Structures are given as C-alpha cells and as structure tokens.
Amino acid sequence: MLQVGRLKKLHFLYNCGLLLIVTYLVACNNSEVKTIQPKTDYIHEIPGKNDTIPVAIAQKGEVLIAYSDCYTCHKEEKRSVGPAFKDIAKRYPVQRVYIDMLAQKVISGGKGAWGSATMIDHPKVPIEEAKLMVSYILSLK
Ligand code: HEC
C-alpha cells in the first residue's frame, strides 16, 4: 500500500512539473507576441458616421461566419492570426463603401491592412454572404 501511495505521489509531482513547464511556455510565447506586435496605433480608427445594421442581417452574418473558417484565424475580442472582430469594428464606420470593400477583401484575401499576416481568399463565398458577414463584424462596435 505504501508503495502505491508513493507512486501516486510521484505521479502527481510529475504532472505538476509538466503543468508548470506548459504554463511557462505559454507565458513566454505571450510575452513574445506582445513585444513583437505593440498595440499602439494598431487600429487606425477611420472617422465617419455609422449607419444602423438591422439585427436580422447581423444574425445571418453571425451564422454564416460560424459555418465558415473565419474563427480559425479570428476571435471576437482578441487578436489572433487575424485582427479581433471588435478591432475591425472599431476601425471602420458602418457605411456601404466599407462593407463592400471588406466583403471583397474576404473573397480575395490579402494582407497589409493590419500587419504582415495574410488572410486566405474565399472565392466560393458569394459577395452577398460576405457582406452579411462583414455587417455582423461591424455590428460588434
Ligand atoms: C487564414 C487565416 C484567416 C481566415 C481563415 C480568415 N481571415 Fe480574415 N483576416 C486574416 C488576416 C491575417 C487579416 C489581416 C489582413 C491584413 O492585414 O490586410 C484578416 C482581415 C480580415 C478583415 C479586415 C480586412 C481589412 O482590410 O481591414 C475582415 C473583415 C476579415 N478578415 C473577415 C474574415 C471573414 C468573414 C472570414 C471567414 C469567411 C475570415 N476573415 C477568415 C486572416 C484570416
């Protein structure tokens, strides 16, 4: 019995060690990202009036996004491979020109507006659906 107890204890300690190493690695990675990509001047807010987005439109966009691959690179609140959806909403006023431009960008992909990471193209997404997706993103103001 004593032996089993000791083994369990060792196992527990071993797991704690692993956890510490993983936590350490995650913490280090985070601080690295922070030093490489300072947040200052990242959003470049464009001034302009905001049109209203009907709730039904935003909801359709939200569903389309959930069924597409967007969340592999985007998060709502935090920057990931791509900018946070809330940061995109902060930059662009809700206006047709921006919705059209961003919808086109979702379809053709690209980089440079937020940094050097590239958004893949989405040639199979119809323009009307891309506009709904962008409307949802801009509704997150
Ligand atoms: C492979 C990763 C990836 C996927 C998948 C992805 N994005 Fe992006 N997205 C990015 C990156 C990276 C940027 C920043 C591009 C830049 O700096 O110009 C971006 C930028 C954007 C922008 C802002 C464009 C601009 O010019 O300001 C919108 C809107 C957007 N994504 C929507 C979407 C939607 C909707 C989907 C799903 C259909 C999607 N993204 C899927 C990586 C991705």
Side-chain angles (χ1 to χ4, degrees):
M1 279 312 280
L2 202 74
Q3 281 296 326
V4 173
R6 262 183 77 181
L7 264 180
K8 272 191 181 160
K9 206 167 169 184
L10 273 179
H11 200 80
F12 176 71
L13 283 176
Y14 176 72
N15 278 340
C16 284
L18 269 187
L19 202 72
L20 267 180
I21 291 169
V22 170
T23 316
Y24 178 72
L25 286 178
V26 169
C28 283
N29 275 342
N30 277 347
S31 62
E32 213 170 81
V33 169
K34 269 180 207 140
T35 47
I36 294 170
Q37 302 164 329
K39 189 96 175 134
T40 41
D41 262 7
Y42 169 68
I43 294 183
H44 305 295
E45 201 172 325
I46 300 170
K49 279 207 297 186
N50 291 309
D51 296 341
T52 49
I53 299 170
V55 176
I57 299 274
Q59 279 172 345
K60 276 186 198 157
E62 186 178 13
V63 172
L64 287 168
I65 283 179
Y67 279 99
S68 188
D69 65 350
C70 321
Y71 284 126
T72 56
C73 294
H74 291 281
K75 288 182 187 166
E76 207 161 295
E77 306 264 349
K78 283 197 180 151
R79 187 176 187 182
S80 170
V81 177
F85 281 160
K86 286 213 165 154
D87 288 346
I88 299 175
K90 259 192 209 148
R91 180 184 289 187
Y92 299 100
V94 181
Q95 289 175 18
R96 232 167 95 181
V97 275
Y98 295 114
I99 294 176
D100 290 354
M101 184 268 280
L102 291 172
Q104 196 51 58
K105 170 121 172 198
V106 169
I107 292 170
S108 48
K111 64 175 179 175
W114 295 87
S116 53
T118 304
M119 172 155 65
I120 52 160
D121 59 351
H122 296 86
K124 287 186 186 149
V125 174
I127 185 78
E128 287 310 319
E129 289 190 7
K131 284 186 198 172
L132 292 171
M133 291 175 176
V134 170
S135 299
Y136 166 70
I137 295 169
L138 295 191
S139 77
L140 295 172
K141 282 185 190 302

